[in-house]
Amino acid sequence: ACSSGGGDNSTTSSNSPSPVISQSQIISLTNPGPIEKVYGQPNFTNLAYGNIGTGEITYSSSDTSIATVDSNSGEVSIINTGTATITASKAADNQYAAADVSYILNISPDTQIISFADPGPISKSYGDANFSNIASGGPGSGNISYSSSNTSVAIVDANSGEVSIIIPGSTIITATKAADEHYRAASASYKVSIPKLVQSIAFADSGPIYKTPGSANFSNTASGGQGSGIIVYSSSAPYVARVNTTTGVVDILNNGLTIINAFKYGDVIHSPVQTSYTLIVAPDSASFRAWVGETDTQVDFDSSAEGLNFIRSTDKNCDLANYSLCANGQLDVLTNSTINDTAINANRSGWYWLQYDNTNSQAATLAAPNFTARTGLHVAEFRNKLWLIGGLDGSYKNDVWASDNGIAWTQTTADAAFSPRADHQLLSFNNKLWLIGGGDNSMKNDVWSSSDGSTWTQVNANAAFSARRSHQALVFNNKMWLIAGWDGSVKNDVWSSSNGINWTQETAAAAFSPRQDHQVVVFNNKMWLIGGRDSANKNDIWSSSDGINWTQESSAAAFSARYNHQVSIFNGKFWLIGGQDGSNKNDIWSSGNGIDWVQENSNADLPASTTPQLQVFDNKLLLIKADDDLSTHQVWSSTDGNNWRQGFHNTIYFP
């Protein structure tokens, strides 16, 4: 077609394609990081993943001096310490845009270990030469240096490790290897000990030194030792002898044994040191107690004899300088312990001597306890002593004796405030001794008490119970109890008192028959009555928990009917000893329940006698008795109820 006016007005249209917009994609890491590694660890891989696009994933490191990464596999190699960023990039494709993800990799220095050639501890002596103990190890390139924790004791060369001893003491030597680019610092240490030098001192006289009371002061000084410390003195028993702390001069005060000590103080170089000698201040005399058995004798001396030689023999003319040649000659140095003497026993008599330095005592034999032989006495324990009161030794007695061992007795009064008597009762109750009834030519119902055993107060001149003797009394349920006895006729009444003044008759006629010379004890929260006599001897056994109602436990126990026997509770058992069943007895019976009795010994070592006293004291059974003719009296002891020792005492004198 043609156009007019010479122009072309036609229009041309285009069909070109529109541009494509790519979609975004996300890739992730197996470990999103940061990842902590230590120099020297093996290669590792931390892969990226994302399966939308088809582009390849490649890896790169921000700092290849720290870590490199394989661009295809993502395997990372550690090169140095520091921090690098590892990036994973996924290429774009025709549908998805490129994507990347990264993680932080921190690489720290590795640890290292060093050690000493000798791990220690090392002990040295003051004055020893310098020594070296070198530390080594660790892959790092840092230098090793040395230090001492206590440079007043020992110093160490910082570079060589050579140690120089300064004074005794202890220090820690430490080696430190410096850190480098790849390894941390490391250290090791060992202990060095340098004990102080030992020194010695000695007394001019090493002892033992013997003196007597009244001896003049004396000096025995100690010397020696290389140190500069002063010497001071002390006495282990200043009541025996005291010593001047600076001069060593000794003052004699009393009999006995003491240890004089000298102590030299230590200094920087030297340790303290002590030495001593024994000082024995010999007495003019010393008392002993002896328990004589079938095969041996157990002997105890006063403390004043400590340190003396104790010699014994069956030969009175023994040459003490050669005691071992004498018949049964023996020697022990006395301590505070019991001596087991096998020279003297129940079948063999002998003599005792004491000796110190070149001084010998006079010979001594065994003597009986020092109160007179008597019957009808009574014994009780009070304030850790035994107290023996009254009795009949041809005349009625009102003397009082005390003993802390049962052998050696002291007369506290020859004529107590109460009248002479026998067959009374003696009790310990409410911190006092109580004496109840008894008789001389007439019977009594008075009550006396004492807080010290010597001074007596009449509590009741005429108690509610009838005047009597051969009764029994005991303490039970916070009361004193008086049971039966003889007031002209045998009795079976029971009385009690909480104060010794006011007495209550619990029953005028108990279930047991009237009697005298019986025994009563407390066992398993009951009072027990055993044997005795009226017109006939008895071996029945009764018990009561209230003193009113009595139960017959046995009408005829295994032991023979008897009176004037003795019963005590010892080691959880009843023990019955002796008495009279028509003749004096020395048999021994025991029972665990008061009903069933076992004969422990039909003929004990104990002599048979009338009216003995049996008492538990100092974990022993003690039996105190007199012969029927009052010619002798004896004290016996047993730790088991079967084996008995006779007690003796005496005093050994120096000329």
Side-chain angles (χ1 to χ4, degrees):
C2 295
S3 61
S4 59
D8 188 357
N9 297 320
S10 62
T11 302
T12 302
S13 60
S14 175
N15 293 320
S16 297
S18 300
V20 176
I21 299 174
S22 297
Q23 299 181 46
S24 63
Q25 61 178 327
I26 297 173
I27 63 174
S28 301
L29 291 163
T30 303
N31 183 345
I35 292 178
E36 306 292 334
K37 291 292 182 177
V38 173
Y39 178 81
Q41 286 186 327
N43 295 353
F44 70 94
T45 300
N46 184 24
L47 295 178
Y49 60 90
N51 57 4
I52 299 177
T54 60
E56 292 184 353
I57 296 176
T58 59
Y59 300 87
S60 64
S61 169
S62 66
D63 190 342
T64 56
S65 68
I66 301 300
T68 60
V69 59
D70 186 282
S71 60
N72 296 315
S73 67
E75 182 180 70
V76 178
S77 300
I78 296 171
I79 305 301
N80 210 335
T81 58
T83 299
T85 300
I86 305 299
T87 301
S89 301
K90 187 168 185 175
D93 59 15
N94 59 1
Q95 187 174 358
Y96 294 95
D100 56 47
V101 68
S102 62
Y103 66 92
I104 301 298
L105 173 61
N106 295 315
I107 303 169
S108 302
D110 196 3
T111 58
Q112 57 182 332
I113 297 173
I114 62 173
S115 61
F116 279 101
D118 184 341
I122 293 176
S123 181
K124 291 290 183 177
S125 298
Y126 178 75
D128 281 354
N130 295 355
F131 69 95
S132 294
N133 185 24
I134 304 302
S136 61
S141 60
N143 291 327
I144 295 178
S145 61
Y146 300 88
S147 63
S148 170
S149 67
N150 190 347
T151 55
S152 66
V153 171
I155 57 175
V156 60
D157 186 279
N159 298 314
S160 69
E162 182 180 75
V163 179
S164 302
I165 295 169
I166 308 300
I167 60 171
S170 63
T171 186
I172 303 298
I173 303 297
T174 300
T176 302
K177 184 168 186 173
D180 61 14
E181 187 178 16
H182 297 149
Y183 295 95
R184 299 179 189 274
S187 64
S189 62
Y190 66 94
K191 183 177 182 179
V192 179
S193 297
I194 305 104
K196 290 186 176 184
L197 295 180
V198 176
Q199 56 182 336
S200 63
I201 59 174
F203 278 104
D205 185 337
S206 61
I209 293 177
Y210 296 92
K211 297 291 181 179
T212 57
S215 294
N217 297 351
F218 70 95
S219 178
N220 183 28
T221 56
S223 61
Q226 298 76 28
S228 60
I230 63 170
I231 295 177
V232 296
Y233 300 89
S234 64
S235 171
S236 66
Y239 55 88
V240 173
R242 62 191 176 202
V243 60
N244 186 289
T245 57
T246 56
T247 67
V249 172
V250 178
D251 296 330
I252 305 298
L253 300 178
N254 289 297
N255 302 325
L257 179 149
T258 186
I259 304 298
I260 303 297
N261 297 293
F263 179 86
K264 181 166 186 171
Y265 282 91
D267 56 21
V268 173
I269 305 302
H270 301 88
S271 60
V273 64
Q274 178 175 305
T275 189
S276 62
Y277 68 90
T278 300
L279 170 62
I280 299 169
V281 183
D284 296 327
S285 63
S287 297
F288 67 88
R289 283 76 55 198
W291 293 106
V292 179
E294 284 295 306
T295 60
D296 60 8
T297 298
Q298 295 175 350
V299 186
D300 292 287
F301 275 84
D302 293 340
S303 60
S304 63
E306 186 177 359
L308 303 186
N309 293 333
F310 170 39
I311 303 174
R312 55 267 186 202
S313 170
T314 53
D315 177 5
K316 186 178 182 180
N317 297 312
C318 176
D319 176 8
L320 302 187
N322 298 291
Y323 73 90
S324 61
L325 302 179
C326 300
N328 301 296
Q330 298 178 7
L331 181 149
D332 283 283
V333 177
L334 292 176
T335 65
N336 288 324
S337 300
T338 298
I339 298 295
N340 191 54
D341 166 27
T342 56
I344 296 175
N345 56 46
N347 302 303
R348 188 167 63 202
S349 61
W351 286 264
Y352 287 167
W353 296 266
L354 292 176
Q355 179 191 69
Y356 68 89
D357 207 7
N358 295 314
T359 303
N360 298 326
S361 74
Q362 299 171 354
T365 56
L366 303 181
N370 47 343
F371 55 86
T372 58
R374 62 189 69 189
T375 62
L377 72 159
H378 205 92
V379 176
E381 181 181 356
F382 175 62
R383 294 189 173 176
N384 299 318
K385 290 185 177 182
L386 288 176
W387 296 81
L388 182 152
I389 295 179
L392 177 65
D393 68 354
S395 61
Y396 289 100
K397 310 294 289 184
N398 62 341
D399 51 352
V400 178
W401 297 77
S403 174
D404 57 11
N405 52 52
I407 305 175
W409 293 80
T410 299
Q411 187 180 62
T412 64
T413 178
D415 185 17
F418 52 82
S419 61
R421 66 191 65 201
D423 299 327
H424 46 286
Q425 286 289 289
L426 188 64
L427 296 176
S428 176
F429 176 69
N430 278 356
N431 297 315
K432 291 182 180 180
L433 270 177
W434 296 78
L435 183 142
I436 304 170
D440 46 17
N441 294 320
S442 62
M443 288 171 286
K444 304 181 183 298
N445 60 344
D446 51 352
V447 179
W448 296 75
S449 72
S450 173
S451 58
D452 62 7
S454 299
T455 303
W456 289 82
T457 301
Q458 188 176 61
V459 174
N460 194 325
N462 185 22
F465 54 84
S466 60
R468 64 186 69 194
R469 65 194 306 166
S470 301
H471 49 293
Q472 284 286 292
L474 77 171
V475 174
F476 177 67
N477 282 353
N478 298 315
K479 293 181 181 180
M480 292 184 287
W481 295 76
L482 182 147
I483 301 174
W486 189 75
D487 67 355
S489 62
V490 288
K491 308 292 290 183
N492 62 343
D493 52 351
V494 178
W495 298 77
S496 73
S497 174
S498 60
N499 57 20
I501 302 170
N502 304 306
W503 290 82
T504 300
Q505 188 177 60
E506 302 290 352
T507 177
F512 55 83
S513 62
R515 65 192 65 202
Q516 63 178 339
D517 299 325
H518 47 292
Q519 283 285 283
V520 291
V521 292
V522 175
F523 182 76
N524 279 355
N525 299 315
K526 292 180 180 180
M527 292 185 286
W528 293 73
L529 181 146
I530 301 171
R533 62 171 172 165
D534 49 17
S535 57
N537 299 337
K538 302 190 177 294
N539 59 347
D540 53 350
I541 297 174
W542 298 77
S543 73
S544 174
S545 60
D546 60 11
I548 301 170
N549 301 293
W550 290 81
T551 299
Q552 188 177 60
E553 302 289 354
S554 175
S555 61
F559 52 84
S560 61
R562 65 187 67 193
Y563 66 96
N564 280 340
H565 50 294
Q566 288 289 293
V567 178
S568 283
I569 306 300
F570 179 63
N571 287 346
K573 288 183 178 182
F574 291 81
W575 291 85
L576 182 150
I577 297 177
Q580 293 173 303
D581 66 355
S583 62
N584 290 342
K585 307 291 291 182
N586 63 345
D587 52 351
I588 299 174
W589 297 76
S590 72
S591 173
N593 58 17
I595 302 169
D596 304 304
W597 290 81
V598 175
Q599 188 176 57
E600 300 284 353
N601 198 321
S602 62
N603 185 22
D605 295 334
L606 306 168
S609 69
T610 183
T611 62
Q613 283 283 292
L614 184 66
Q615 184 73 37
V616 177
F617 183 72
D618 192 25
N619 298 315
K620 300 184 184 78
L621 278 172
L622 292 183
L623 186 75
I624 301 170
K625 60 167 291 297
D627 290 340
D628 287 344
D629 63 2
L630 301 182
S631 59
T632 62
H633 57 290
Q634 303 168 3
V635 176
W636 295 76
S637 75
S638 174
T639 57
D640 61 9
N642 283 305
N643 299 291
W644 291 80
R645 293 177 178 272
Q646 188 176 357
F648 295 89
H649 80 109
N650 209 340
T651 300
I652 298 179
Y653 294 91
F654 284 96

